[in-house]
Every structure is written in C-alpha cells, then in structure tokens.
Amino acid sequence: MPTNTDRSVPDFIAKAAAPVRDHLAAATTLAPFLQSAGTLTLERRRRIVDQALVLLEQNYVHLPLKAAMYAVNPVQRLRLLARRLERQTDADMPPEWIFHAELSEIFHSVRDLHTNYLLPAPFNGKIAFLPFLVESFTEQSGGTATERFLVTQVAQGFAPPGFGPGTEITHWSGIPISTAVDLHAARFAGSNPEARRSRGVQSLTLRPMRIHLPPFEEWVTVTYLDADGTPRELRENWQIVDNLPPLVGIDTLGTAGAAQGLDLEADEVGRAKVLLFAPRVVAQQKAAEAGEPAPDLQAGEIPTTMPKVFKAREVTTASGTFGHLRIFTFNVDDPIAFVEEFVRLLGLLPERGLILDVRDNGGGHIFAAEFTLQTLTPRRITPEPTQFISTPLNLRICRHHQNDPAIDLGAWVPSMEQALEVGATFSRAFPITPEDGANAIGQRYFGPVVLVTNARCYSATDIFTAGFQDHRIGTVLGVDRTTGAGGANVWTHELLSELAADDPATPYRPLPNGASMRVAIRRTLRVGAQSGTPVEDLGVTPDELHRITRRDLLEGNADLMERAGELLKAMTPHAVAITDAATTGGALRLKVKTTNIDRLDVYIDQRPKASVDLLNGQADVTVPDAATANSARVEGYVDGELVASRTEQLR
C-alpha cells in the first residue's frame, strides 16, 4: 500500500495563509508540549476537587435530572476522589494526566456541555489539531442508509498525494472509521446520541485542550482512497498551538457574563476552524475593525462588520432565489449591535424568503439570541423562563444581588425562600432576557423563514431554536433529529466567586494554575404549545429532516439549499409597510402597502386607532388628532390571524 510519511510539518506551516502564518509558526508537536505539563501539586489537586464539589452539589441546576436520566452520582464520585487524595502524598500521587482524566470523566458523566472542568496551564488556550477536517454524510442505497466520511477542508499548503476535499476515509489508526467515531463519541458529553456522534466526528482532527485532555497518540495513521480508488496511508503528527482569542470574556460580573448560554467547546472549535481553514475571515475581521473594505469575499457574499459572527449571501435554487444568512455564534458582548447588524444584512437579502442557518452554533449571549427573534415575526416574543435549583448557597447569592443593576436576581428570591417549607426542588421560573428588549423593535423581515439546525446547535442556540418554533416563526429544517439539547444559563467559577466575594462564609476559593470550572446554573423552559418543557436533554425536534449528502459536503450545501428552497416556495409571504406619513390639519395620514393581507389595524403611540379591510393591497388611513404622534404600528391579518407587523418612529 503506498504511503506518505515524508512531508514535514514546517513545510505546511511555511505555506500557511498570510493572515495566520505567524500565529501557526508557534505550533509544536505533542511530545515537547507535554514536557511543560505536570506542575500541579497534591494540595492544588485537593483544592480543585473541593471546588468541584461546591459547584456540583450546591449550584448545579440539572443534578436531579442527570442522576435520573443517566443513573450517575458525580457528587459521590468527587467525594471518593477527595478521600483518595487525602491518603496520597506528593511522592506517591499518580501522574497529573490521570488526575485530569478522572476529573474530566466525572464532569462528562452528566452529559452536559455547560458543566465542564477546564484544564489548567499549559492546556488552557491551546488546541490540538490535524491540518484537515473530516465530516460525514448519509448515502441511501436500496432503502439502506450508510454513513460515510469525507475530507472536506484542508489547511493551505497541506497536499499529500491523492488527499484533499472529497477524499474518503476508511480507517483511523487501523480502526474502521465508523468504529473510531463511536469510540471518540463515547468520550464526549453530548446530551443525545446524535450530538455525541457529531462531536465524535469533529474530535478526529480538532481538540480544544481547555476542555479535553490532549490526544494519547502522538500521531494518527489515516487510510484513505485516492481519486482512482487506490488505498493510501497518511501518518500525521498532532500539532499544538494557541487558539484565536475569544470574542467575549465571560468570567466577570456583568450582563454578558451572567447571561451566557455557551457551549465552550463549540466556541473553541469554531475559532480553530477559522484559524486553520478560513484565514480570510481573520483578514476580514481586521479590515472591519480598521473600517476598511472587506477583502477576499466569495461570489455573492455580502460584506459584514462581524465576519466571525455572520455570513450573508444570495442562493439560487430551482425554487427561486433566496437569502442565506449564517449565524456562527451568539457569543458577543453587545446584543444590540448584534441585532442591528442582523437587521442590516436582512435588508440586503431577497425578500422572497430567508434560509437562516445556525448549524454548529454553540450559543453565547442569551439576549442576542432572544432579541433577534422579534425581527422575524409579528407576534410578541415571550423569552424562555429559567429556574435555579433551590439550595442555601444559591439563595444567598440571589439575596445578595436582588437589587443589583448588573445582575438583578430578586425575582427568584421569594420562591427559593419558600423551598424548605414546600419541598420545591426548583425556584419559580423567570426569564433572563428582558421582555421589553425582546420586543423593542418588532418585525423587520417579512418573507417566509426556514431555520436550519443540527446536533451541534447548543445553549443560546437551543434557546433561539425553541423560541423560533414556539412562536411559530417558520419551519425548522434539521440535518439531525434534534438540536444539541443544552437548556441552561452557564456561570463560571470565577463569576460565582465574584458574586459571593462579599459573603464572609463564601465557599469559593481561587483555583490554581489557571484551572477553572463552569456549571449550568439556571435551566430553561419552553413557552407556547410546549410551555414548561425543559430544553436540557430534549432539545428541539425539527419540523422537517434533511440528511447531509455528498453534494452538501462538497458543493456548498447544494441539496440542503434546494430542500430549504422547496419549503420556502410553499410558504406564503405576508408584508406591511408604511410608505408615507404626513400630517394635515391635526390629522395623521398613513399610506400603507401590503402583501397577502385582508385586514389592517393601526396603532398610534401604542393605542388602537383604526381598522380597515383591504382589497388591493393599498390603504390610506387618516387618524384625527394625531399630528404629534411619536410612533405608528400597522398590523396585518389574514382570516383573523396576525401575520405581519411593522412599527415606525414618526419623530
């Protein structure tokens, strides 16, 4: 069998794209990197386990659910680990990687990507990578579905013989590739089988070491078929390098930190993919920050001020031309700016229909996710309510911050104070997102919308998807049978420590060597038809299912876009627009244009003023005594159902 083992890694780095070449130049192989690990003393290990017990026993909102669903007892396992550490000495304690492995496995046992043990230096901030990406698709043949695995991305300058996008992988270090994926999936904490398997595929070539131990193997041997179907082998060393920096810091007290709903692994992987496979985005981000034109745009791509967050373009399908707007992350520090850029991009896309794509989006700022929903629907948005688990420590934190403008937790206090008397496991449920903010600007896009999801949608993206479905905004088209099922607000150990800093009895202690932890602190519940249903572990089931095909992987999601186009073509657009507003003799005259509307209601400064039936899509509405009005809202109905709404500021 032909092999390729003589290509040097320095050649690959030397040929890296200019925007990331200097960054990648610091990469090292696994063995020299690990020489800097192993400085965690026994006392520091004991401190880490003690703090893990505090978070899981007194803060972790999903502990009863996880114990029931997966028959696990992470608290008892931590107690046993603490007891073993008491018996050890610095001389006989096991290697540090064994400690990290056991603690990580305890956290992973609850299958919650919000609740993590974050490794200390030198692992934090690093990624382990191979310079290519593997993805899977489903091949249908004779009524049988078979999963196959293709190379879909390679880093610039990486070109072994017969290896590139479209190459089929058959074995991974001698293991049949499907079995290798199963083994990888078993190590990850996804809340459902499809989420775990999806992350198993992803972890073949990308490992954020903030969350996961480095690979045990220094290199992998990949068996693949070249273009002629000839089996070949490639041996590739794991590389270690600093990841691109995060967009937002989430460890300090404030709205951004307290309203986080983020899958940290997805966020790390997303930035690693940009570094390795989309260096043009790095250049575009630098240009946006400098106020310069965006370089290296793809055909049909619309420039954005947030290239790491959005990608907007037109797509032409057999069903028509539609907008395709990808949201890579909700992890921003300014949700208002996020929504403003989202609305600006909507205005540059076709009005006939929108393919809103949130695949692989691990979430971020919950405000950004729920503020965005209003722009796509005439209905009032009800943000998802959230609950704390009722513990004495959580009650103390909420009491201390019940009137704090940075993080007001007062709504949860009364029910937590009653918990001992009534035996309630959880507090009452209240939204994190302010309802006024979630309805501040109203509908801004009037075409039909299809939301595309997969099993890597998590956290704030789960919340966004649930809200999209609960408010009947459009059709959810999934490429997996459910989203990632992360239904919580997540706080870091650093944030919890800051919240309890003034408490003389605080149990939080600083963690050594840059180690950290995160915990799901408030669980989310759905609204609408599924009101009260938790998102955690259940996720959101799509309305329609499309399995990724070979064409999707190699031809820009061609079949997926066609399926979304078919759904959009079958949906009826409804629109209203105020084309002119003028005052005459103390009256306000509005000219309104509509699409597929049979009744129009008019509100002036939030008060109902007129209702007219429509025949030809045009309406002139005169409102007496409204010359000084500040705002006008027009609502369009079909057969008595609200289908479109627009609010305009008049002065």
Side-chain angles (χ1 to χ4, degrees):
M1 178 181 295
T3 63
N4 177 60
T5 60
D6 58 352
R7 186 197 49 77
S8 66
V9 170
D11 288 343
F12 146 65
I13 294 196
K15 296 176 182 176
V20 299
R21 187 178 302 138
D22 291 343
H23 189 116
L24 289 173
T28 182
T29 52
L30 190 60
F33 169 77
L34 291 178
Q35 291 176 2
S36 62
T39 62
L40 207 60
T41 66
L42 181 59
E43 186 58 35
R44 289 174 174 177
R45 297 182 191 191
R46 291 169 178 166
R47 168 68 63 85
I48 290 172
V49 173
D50 173 72
Q51 292 300 288
L53 267 167
V54 173
L55 264 65
L56 291 186
E57 190 170 25
Q58 301 185 54
N59 298 125
Y60 185 36
V61 70
H62 296 315
L63 184 60
L65 171 70
K66 300 298 186 176
M69 287 196 71
Y70 304 119
V72 295
N73 191 340
V75 171
Q76 178 63 11
R77 290 187 63 181
L78 285 170
R79 289 175 181 148
L80 291 172
L81 177 56
R83 182 70 181 116
R84 289 202 302 275
L85 290 173
E86 289 174 2
R87 297 170 178 167
Q88 294 172 4
T89 68
D90 285 305
D92 65 11
M93 65 182 182
E96 183 176 314
W97 74 265
I98 293 179
F99 171 77
H100 292 318
E102 183 166 9
L103 197 55
S104 293
E105 206 257 317
I106 291 171
F107 273 79
H108 288 163
S109 72
V110 299
R111 301 184 183 181
D112 182 352
L113 295 169
H114 283 131
T115 302
N116 319 107
Y117 167 52
L118 306 182
L119 272 67
F123 305 102
N124 50 12
K126 304 286 188 181
I127 55 168
F129 72 91
L130 303 174
F132 58 94
L133 192 66
V134 176
E135 297 183 76
S136 67
F137 74 95
T138 301
E139 184 175 72
Q140 299 285 345
S141 178
T144 301
T146 303
E147 189 177 23
R148 300 177 70 176
F149 300 85
L150 300 182
V151 174
T152 57
Q153 300 275 356
V154 294
Q156 182 171 312
F158 183 74
F163 190 91
T167 297
E168 182 169 358
I169 306 296
T170 62
H171 292 74
W172 197 263
S173 294
I175 304 172
I177 183 65
S178 184
T179 303
V181 169
D182 285 336
L183 293 172
H184 281 72
R187 296 178 55 191
F188 295 92
S191 296
N192 56 67
E194 293 210 10
R196 286 191 291 279
R197 188 164 180 80
S198 176
R199 291 169 191 276
V201 176
Q202 178 177 270
S203 70
L204 291 173
T205 62
L206 284 174
R207 308 267 181 92
M209 291 195 295
R210 182 72 163 141
I211 302 168
H212 299 291
L213 285 172
F216 292 111
E217 68 279 14
E218 293 185 23
W219 63 81
V220 298
T221 302
V222 182
T223 307
Y224 63 96
L225 304 178
D226 66 15
D228 297 325
T230 303
R232 289 180 176 269
E233 281 190 354
L234 162 71
R235 194 181 87 166
E236 188 62 32
N237 290 324
W238 281 101
Q239 299 292 315
I240 313 298
V241 74
D242 284 323
N243 203 356
L244 292 175
L247 293 174
V248 178
I250 58 175
D251 293 332
T252 56
L253 181 59
T255 301
Q260 276 295 310
L262 178 68
D263 171 6
L264 187 59
E265 180 188 3
D267 187 65
E268 292 272 354
V269 167
R271 286 183 274 120
K273 287 180 179 178
V274 169
L275 174 67
L276 297 170
F277 310 120
R280 68 186 187 88
V281 175
V282 176
Q284 289 173 4
Q285 185 68 37
K286 291 179 180 178
E289 292 169 354
E292 299 172 353
D296 199 19
L297 290 175
Q298 297 176 339
E301 185 178 353
I302 298 170
T304 172
T305 60
M306 299 180 177
K308 291 183 179 179
V309 177
F310 297 113
K311 181 180 178 181
R313 62 178 182 136
E314 290 188 5
V315 293
T316 299
T317 73
S319 301
T321 299
F322 306 103
H324 178 222
L325 182 51
R326 190 78 183 258
I327 305 178
F328 295 107
T329 182
F330 290 105
N331 194 25
V332 296
D333 56 7
D334 186 347
I336 302 299
F338 176 97
V339 175
E340 288 175 347
E341 179 64 1
F342 180 79
V343 170
R344 188 188 72 82
L345 293 172
L346 288 180
L348 299 173
L349 292 170
E351 297 180 354
R352 179 57 189 87
L354 175 68
I355 304 168
L356 187 58
D357 194 341
V358 294
R359 287 174 297 155
D360 296 359
N361 186 330
H365 202 312
I366 294 173
F367 286 17
E370 295 198 291
F371 281 4
T372 303
L373 292 170
Q374 63 185 303
T375 66
L376 305 171
T377 178
R379 299 178 181 88
R380 185 168 180 83
I381 298 299
T382 301
E384 288 194 356
T386 65
Q387 298 172 300
F388 285 95
I389 193 167
S390 294
T391 67
L393 179 56
N394 280 344
L395 175 57
R396 277 160 43 201
I397 291 172
C398 288
R399 277 176 174 163
H400 189 68
H401 295 276
Q402 59 185 324
N403 295 305
D404 187 338
I407 175 174
D408 186 355
L409 304 176
W412 289 270
V413 170
S415 59
M416 295 175 74
E417 290 177 334
Q418 296 171 353
L420 181 62
E421 300 172 40
V422 301
T425 301
F426 300 103
S427 70
R428 287 185 60 196
F430 299 93
I432 294 171
T433 300
E435 189 164 349
D436 287 346
N439 296 280
I441 62 173
Q443 188 174 10
R444 286 295 181 266
Y445 187 78
F446 295 88
V449 185
V450 167
L451 179 65
V452 183
T453 65
N454 68 357
R456 293 183 199 164
C457 294
Y458 201 79
S459 200
T461 310
D462 265 309
I463 293 170
F464 176 82
T465 304
F468 185 95
Q469 192 175 70
D470 292 343
H471 291 90
R472 297 180 292 128
I473 293 173
T475 299
V476 179
L477 174 62
V479 302
D480 295 305
R481 295 188 185 279
T482 185
T483 57
N489 169 216
V490 57
W491 289 355
T492 64
H493 180 272
E494 290 81 359
L495 178 59
L496 284 161
S497 298
E498 188 172 354
L499 288 169
D502 296 335
D503 183 351
T506 178
Y508 303 112
R509 300 290 181 267
L511 293 171
N513 290 31
S516 188
M517 299 170 194
R518 306 190 322 147
V519 65
I521 191 75
R522 288 181 280 192
R523 72 171 191 164
T524 58
L525 306 176
R526 296 187 66 171
V527 299
Q530 299 197 51
S531 180
T533 302
V535 177
E536 183 70 19
D537 284 312
L538 302 177
V540 180
T541 302
D543 305 306
E544 301 285 342
L545 183 66
H546 169 86
R547 289 298 191 185
I548 290 294
T549 67
R550 180 187 290 268
R551 286 188 72 220
D552 286 328
L553 292 185
L554 301 179
E555 300 178 31
N557 297 297
D559 290 335
L560 176 59
M561 294 298 106
E562 287 292 338
R563 179 65 182 126
E566 292 171 1
L567 294 172
L568 288 171
K569 184 179 180 180
M571 300 162 71
T572 302
H574 303 283
V576 293
I578 299 174
T579 59
D580 186 54
T583 56
T584 304
L588 174 66
R589 184 180 180 186
L590 301 176
K591 288 184 176 293
V592 183
K593 181 180 179 181
T594 69
T595 302
N596 299 317
I597 301 292
D598 62 31
R599 192 187 94 211
L600 191 71
D601 288 356
V602 179
Y603 293 77
I604 302 299
D605 291 339
Q606 307 303 316
R607 301 184 67 180
K609 291 294 184 180
S611 181
V612 296
D613 294 328
L614 301 176
L615 295 176
N616 58 7
Q618 303 285 339
D620 289 342
V621 182
T622 299
V623 182
D625 302 322
T628 60
N630 293 306
S631 67
R633 183 172 86 249
V634 289
E635 295 185 344
Y637 291 79
V638 174
D639 296 329
E641 181 180 0
L642 177 65
V643 293
S645 175
R646 185 188 289 272
T647 299
E648 298 287 356
Q649 297 301 314
L650 302 176
R651 62 181 67 249

